[in-house]
Amino acid sequence: MTRPTRRSALLKGLALMGLLGTLLVGAPPVSAQDAQDAQSAQDTGASANAVAATVTYPQTTDSFANPERGFYRHTSSCDQSDFSASTLQGYRVNEGVTVVMCIFYLSDFKTSAISQTALSRLQRQFDAVRTAGLKTIVRFAYTDSTDGADATKDRVVSHLDQLAPYLSANSDVIYLVQAGFVGAWGEGYYTQNFGNAGSVTTADWANRKAVVDKTLDVLPSTRMVQLRTPKYKRTMYGTTALPASQAYNGTAVARVGHHNDCFLASADDFGTYENPAVEYPYLATETASLPMGGETCAVNTPRTSCPTTLSELKMFHWSYMNTDYEANVVNGWRTGGCLPEITRNLGYRFALQSGTFPTTASPGGPLAVNLTVRNDGYAAPFNPRGLELVLRNNATSQVYRLPLTGDPRTWAAGTTTTIDRSVTLPAGLPTGSYSLLLNLPDPQLSSRPEYSVRLANQGTWEAATGYNNLLQTVTVS
């Protein structure tokens, strides 16, 4: 494409599962599933006389930092200068930004292996992102010129072999990978080796697919790849939109999403769409469980004005957007009054509505929780996300983390989800008063509170722990 440079009833389903064990802060979650199987009838009687308490949670319209979503920063070529961890941390603290773009150009290695100097810089970039508590969008490319001076398919594949250990070792801070490699900016249009300026042969498509397949292969299966246009995926992986039943199953079609780097710039977003009548409904379905994001690249009123912007962000489940480019478009959203809504709603925005809990429990016995959570964001998370009930002793501050069955990736945009679960308390749990909290940690960074999800409620977030206080206590006796 051309573009400018640049619970049902409370206490239902209780089941004795045995000892979960005690977990202290920083320890891994208890390795037992929630008690909610065929033994429920046995244990319901054990807690049928428990007193239940219901809490209603006021929501907030505040904007705040949350991992793996929102506006991102893209300020320099990732291969030319090292990230500053303090600068990145400043983005998070001062701007609520948790994602940074890393486009790593390999222009010096079109006919050779990537040097260790370059690979070491890539590792330093990942290290800085981790230190700062952010994640990164990663893309590799060979040129930012429309001359399309990239590398051959075989060279790209060999470079991916070199990059494989770095992508694997640093997947904890990789938000996603954009397919890249092919053509100017890694966007696949202007290219000397893969079919230039839209003239793509069957062989060219096979070579492009080989690059994407290799990228998927070297990445951990928990991470997704994005392609620049719907046509790219439809040509290489079939024209049927990913059904919900196949989401997150690890196949290529369930790991390849989309990015639009000329959002709203023209009627077809500067070549992003070839046939909007077909591609719009396709993309709307796909992005319910696949990543969608990108940037703007030109003012194009009224299309870049607030009404169309809000409509398409919601329709296509946008999770992230460049705040640095194109600034005039972003400023138009500011003057048009929709920027606060965009800032709040990019990606997921989970808010508790109500919770019902027993006020007493026994060591080794069941504890049932019923929570309703609404997702007011444009999208759901697409990377794995943990879900835990946390008990904190109000006298000793000792913490016990109990996993809840559930997948926040399925908490779809615009829907309310009920979490109706029961956990079995550790048999050795000391008696006393405990606060209840909810934690949505990053599975790979569970000891880092800045990587846990903050809920959009008033008076619940604990920045120091990454927990969301459920504003309820239970007496264990």
Side-chain angles (χ1 to χ4, degrees):
M1 73 301 301
T2 57
R3 55 163 288 174
T5 302
R6 151 19 251 132
R7 160 185 248 236
S8 52
L10 176 68
L11 310 176
K12 182 184 76 174
L14 305 180
L16 190 58
M17 298 294 293
L19 301 182
L20 286 174
T22 300
L23 293 173
L24 301 179
V25 175
V30 178
S31 58
Q33 68 178 30
D34 299 327
Q36 50 180 6
D37 57 22
Q39 299 183 36
S40 62
Q42 291 180 236
D43 295 322
T44 299
S47 58
N49 296 322
V51 177
T54 297
V55 181
T56 300
Y57 300 98
Q59 296 187 30
T60 178
T61 58
D62 291 347
S63 295
F64 46 81
N66 244 335
E68 302 186 327
R69 58 155 301 277
F71 278 103
Y72 72 87
R73 295 298 304 268
H74 180 201
T75 57
S76 64
S77 293
C78 200
D79 59 293
Q80 293 298 307
S81 59
D82 287 3
F83 284 144
S84 161
S86 60
T87 297
L88 298 184
Q89 190 171 46
Y91 294 156
R92 189 182 196 284
V93 173
N94 301 320
E95 303 175 20
V97 167
T98 63
V99 178
V100 61
M101 171 69 86
C102 173
I103 300 184
F104 203 97
Y105 283 96
L106 301 170
S107 55
D108 292 337
F109 312 110
K110 296 172 188 175
T111 60
S112 65
I114 304 170
S115 71
Q116 187 56 53
T117 298
L119 293 171
S120 295
R121 167 159 279 165
L122 179 63
Q123 182 59 55
R124 291 197 302 272
Q125 307 295 47
F126 288 133
D127 291 342
V129 170
R130 185 180 296 105
T131 297
L134 275 68
K135 295 212 174 185
T136 182
I137 302 163
V138 181
R139 189 199 303 175
F140 298 96
Y142 295 96
T143 180
D144 60 359
S145 170
T146 56
D147 66 5
D150 47 15
T152 65
K153 182 263 291 182
D154 289 344
R155 178 61 63 189
V156 176
V157 169
S158 69
H159 282 168
L160 278 163
D161 282 328
Q162 286 189 271
L163 294 167
Y166 296 89
L167 297 175
S168 179
N170 296 286
S171 64
D172 58 338
V173 294
I174 293 175
Y175 182 29
L176 52 82
V177 173
Q178 295 179 344
F181 293 106
V182 177
W185 314 288
E187 292 189 22
Y189 189 75
Y190 303 107
T191 167
Q192 293 183 9
N193 292 279
F194 295 88
N196 190 51
S199 299
V200 186
T201 68
T202 300
D204 293 328
W205 281 117
N207 288 336
R208 288 173 181 241
K209 186 175 183 296
V211 170
V212 182
D213 286 344
K214 182 67 174 182
T215 305
L216 290 168
D217 184 54
V218 303
L219 269 178
S221 61
T222 56
R223 289 300 177 261
M224 297 193 180
V225 170
Q226 289 179 306
L227 291 171
R228 177 60 183 86
T229 76
K231 180 179 179 177
Y232 289 176
K233 184 175 181 181
R234 287 168 60 84
T235 302
M236 292 186 279
Y237 296 97
T239 59
T240 301
L242 180 71
S245 61
Q246 294 180 23
Y248 320 116
N249 67 5
T251 61
V253 292
R255 292 178 61 201
V256 175
H258 308 268
H259 67 104
N260 181 349
D261 283 5
C262 269
F263 182 49
L264 308 173
S266 70
D268 62 0
D269 292 4
F270 281 9
T272 298
Y273 300 109
E274 185 175 71
N275 184 354
V278 171
E279 292 164 329
Y280 267 44
Y282 166 86
L283 194 64
T285 299
E286 283 262 302
T287 55
S289 55
L290 290 169
M292 181 70 204
E295 65 184 14
T296 65
C297 71
V299 174
N300 175 40
T301 55
R303 184 156 164 72
T304 47
S305 299
C306 284
T308 301
T309 298
L310 295 176
S311 174
E312 295 205 8
L313 289 174
K314 182 178 181 179
M315 183 191 309
F316 300 132
H317 306 95
W318 278 66
S319 285
Y320 67 90
M321 172 76 71
N322 190 353
T323 191
D324 293 307
Y325 189 78
E326 207 275 329
N328 289 322
V329 178
V330 177
N331 286 334
W333 299 338
R334 181 177 288 106
T335 58
C338 61
L339 186 59
E341 179 177 342
I342 296 171
T343 303
R344 287 193 302 269
N345 293 345
L346 281 168
Y348 61 87
R349 184 177 176 87
F350 297 143
L352 289 166
Q353 294 188 315
S354 65
T356 303
F357 320 91
T359 59
T360 60
S362 301
L367 191 152
V369 299
N370 181 281
L371 294 164
T372 56
V373 183
R374 181 169 176 81
N375 182 1
D376 289 319
Y378 298 137
F382 50 82
N383 288 332
R385 178 62 53 179
L387 183 63
E388 300 173 341
L389 179 69
V390 179
L391 279 71
R392 184 169 62 209
N393 190 296
N394 291 326
T396 66
S397 297
Q398 192 169 0
V399 167
Y400 305 82
R401 293 165 50 191
L402 311 177
L404 292 171
T405 299
D407 188 345
R409 294 177 298 181
T410 67
W411 300 356
T415 68
T416 297
T417 299
T418 298
I419 305 167
D420 188 11
R421 303 289 185 262
S422 178
V423 296
T424 301
L425 299 183
L429 185 69
T431 60
S433 174
Y434 289 81
S435 294
L436 300 180
L437 309 100
L438 191 68
N439 186 27
L440 285 78
D442 187 303
Q444 294 182 273
L445 295 159
S446 60
S447 66
R448 298 282 300 271
E450 63 267 56
Y451 288 106
S452 287
V453 169
R454 176 178 176 177
L455 303 179
N457 296 99
Q458 299 176 23
T460 57
W461 176 243
E462 296 185 356
T465 64
Y467 302 153
N468 298 275
N469 198 316
L470 294 175
L471 308 180
Q472 178 61 39
T473 61
V474 58
T475 300
V476 176
S477 60

